[in-house]
Amino acid sequence: MMSIGTRIRRDDDGMSLAELIVAGAISVLLLTMIGAFFTGVVRGVNTSETADTTTRQATTAINTMTQYFHAATTYPVATSPTPIYAFGTVSGDATATDVTFYAYVNLVSTAAQPVKVRFFIDPTTHYLTEQLWSSTCSATSGP
């Protein structure tokens, strides 16, 4: 009868080629799965960051527009009994991509004068654009 120590020493001849191929294949499979998982996580983070940035920019634009829309007012014209209405015809009617109106949101000075505001989608860049004009309304003249 062989002792346990002799049997262990006899079975310790090394690894066969088939065992090395199987171990290598399993290693490659695991590394491929880890790489695919890492790539997916990086893409997901980039998509999430892009969505977050876009949402923040849209929120800022909507908050700015809301501030002006809430302050929209009629524009008094001294030479006419009818004022220019807030969303009426200032430089044409409002469209789906362009609106012009007067608002009492003066961020430049402390004077309480309406500001002419225009929000529009720039046809070349497709960006939301804001234009502001200071008011020159007086008791004797119109806009």
Side-chain angles (χ1 to χ4, degrees):
M1 236 175 140
M2 259 190 232
S3 71
I4 295 176
T6 308
R7 201 178 319 156
I8 290 174
R9 271 186 252 124
R10 244 189 224 169
D11 291 338
D12 194 17
D13 292 339
M15 295 176 64
S16 69
L17 182 60
E19 291 172 330
L20 284 174
I21 290 173
V22 169
I26 290 173
S27 297
V28 167
L29 182 66
L30 286 174
L31 288 174
T32 302
M33 289 171 46
I34 290 170
F37 176 75
F38 181 73
T39 303
V41 167
V42 169
R43 285 183 185 161
V45 167
N46 286 341
T47 301
S48 176
E49 287 177 354
T50 301
D52 181 55
T53 301
T54 304
T55 302
R56 287 177 190 266
Q57 290 174 349
T59 300
T60 301
I62 289 172
N63 287 341
T64 301
M65 291 175 69
T66 301
Q67 180 183 13
Y68 283 106
F69 285 135
H70 280 194
T73 185
T74 57
Y75 192 78
V77 179
T79 59
S80 172
T82 307
I84 298 174
Y85 295 103
F87 296 101
T89 304
V90 176
S91 62
D93 291 328
T95 65
T97 60
D98 192 339
V99 63
T100 305
F101 58 95
Y102 289 95
Y104 273 100
V105 177
N106 191 350
L107 303 176
V108 179
S109 70
T110 58
Q113 292 184 342
V115 176
K116 185 177 179 181
V117 182
R118 179 181 180 212
F119 290 109
F120 65 100
I121 304 295
D122 190 323
T124 56
T125 62
H126 301 289
Y127 289 153
L128 176 64
T129 307
E130 170 188 350
Q131 286 182 328
L132 297 174
W133 294 274
S134 58
S135 173
T136 57
C137 180
S138 68
T140 58
S141 68

